[in-house]
Coordinates of all heavy atoms in Angstrom, one line a residue:
T113 N 11.8 -0.5 8.2 CA 11.6 -0.5 6.7 C 10.4 -1.3 6.4 O 9.9 -2.1 7.2 CB 12.8 -1.3 6.1 OG1 12.9 -2.6 6.5 CG2 14.1 -0.6 6.4
S114 N 9.8 -1.1 5.3 CA 8.6 -1.8 4.9 C 8.6 -1.9 3.3 O 8.9 -0.9 2.7 CB 7.3 -1.2 5.4 OG 7.3 0.2 5.2
C115 N 8.1 -3.0 2.8 CA 8.2 -3.3 1.4 C 7.0 -2.6 0.6 O 7.1 -2.4 -0.5 CB 8.3 -4.8 1.1 SG 6.7 -5.7 1.3
G116 N 5.9 -2.5 1.3 CA 4.7 -1.9 0.7 C 3.8 -2.9 0.0 O 2.7 -2.5 -0.5
S117 N 4.2 -4.1 -0.1 CA 3.4 -5.1 -0.9 C 3.1 -6.4 -0.3 O 2.3 -7.2 -0.8 CB 4.2 -5.3 -2.3 OG 5.4 -5.8 -2.1
C118 N 3.7 -6.7 0.8 CA 3.5 -8.0 1.5 C 2.1 -8.0 2.2 O 1.5 -6.9 2.3 CB 4.6 -8.4 2.5 SG 4.5 -7.5 4.0
G119 N 1.7 -9.1 2.7 CA 0.4 -9.1 3.4 C 0.2 -8.1 4.5 O -0.8 -7.4 4.7
A120 N 1.3 -8.0 5.3 CA 1.2 -7.1 6.5 C 1.1 -5.7 6.0 O 0.3 -4.9 6.5 CB 2.5 -7.3 7.4
C121 N 2.0 -5.3 5.0 CA 2.0 -3.9 4.5 C 0.6 -3.6 3.9 O 0.0 -2.5 4.2 CB 3.0 -3.7 3.5 SG 4.7 -3.6 4.2
V122 N 0.0 -4.5 3.1 CA -1.2 -4.2 2.5 C -2.4 -4.1 3.5 O -3.3 -3.3 3.3 CB -1.5 -5.3 1.4 CG1 -2.9 -5.2 0.9 CG2 -0.5 -5.3 0.3
L125 N -0.3 -2.9 8.4 CA 0.5 -3.2 9.6 C 2.0 -3.2 9.1 O 2.7 -4.2 9.2 CB 0.1 -4.6 10.2 CG 0.5 -4.8 11.6 CD1 0.0 -3.7 12.5 CD2 0.1 -6.2 12.1
S126 N 2.4 -2.1 8.6 CA 3.7 -2.0 8.0 C 4.9 -2.3 8.9 O 5.9 -2.8 8.5 CB 4.0 -0.5 7.4 OG 3.8 0.4 8.5
R128 N 5.0 -4.8 10.8 CA 5.3 -6.2 10.8 C 5.4 -6.7 9.3 O 5.2 -7.9 9.0 CB 4.1 -6.9 11.4 CG 3.9 -6.5 12.9 CD 5.2 -6.9 13.7 NE 5.1 -6.3 15.1 CZ 6.2 -6.3 15.9 NH1 7.4 -6.7 15.5 NH2 6.1 -5.8 17.1
C129 N 5.9 -5.8 8.4 CA 6.3 -6.2 7.1 C 7.2 -7.4 7.2 O 8.1 -7.5 8.0 CB 7.0 -5.1 6.4 SG 7.8 -5.5 4.8
E130 N 7.0 -8.4 6.3 CA 7.9 -9.6 6.4 C 9.3 -9.3 6.0 O 10.2 -10.1 6.3 CB 7.3 -10.7 5.4 CG 7.2 -10.3 4.0 CD 6.5 -11.3 3.1 OE1 5.4 -11.9 3.6 OE2 6.9 -11.6 2.0
R131 N 9.6 -8.1 5.5 CA 11.0 -7.7 5.2 C 11.4 -6.5 6.2 O 12.4 -5.8 5.9 CB 11.1 -7.3 3.8 CG 10.9 -8.5 2.8 CD 10.9 -8.0 1.4 NE 12.2 -7.6 0.9 CZ 12.4 -7.1 -0.3 NH1 11.4 -6.9 -1.1 NH2 13.6 -6.8 -0.6
A132 N 10.7 -6.3 7.2 CA 10.9 -5.2 8.1 C 12.3 -5.3 8.8 O 12.6 -6.4 9.3 CB 9.8 -5.0 9.2
L160 N 14.6 -0.6 0.8 CA 13.1 -0.6 0.4 C 12.5 0.8 0.4 O 11.5 1.1 0.9 CB 12.3 -1.5 1.3 CG 12.8 -2.9 1.5 CD1 12.1 -3.7 2.6 CD2 12.7 -3.7 0.1
Ligands
ZN402 ZN1 5.9 -5.6 3.5

Side-chain angles (χ1 to χ4, degrees):
T113 62
S114 47
C115 74
S117 58
C118 73
C121 284
V122 171
L125 202 55
S126 58
R128 297 300 170 195
C129 171
E130 58 190 40
R131 297 173 69 186
L160 304 172

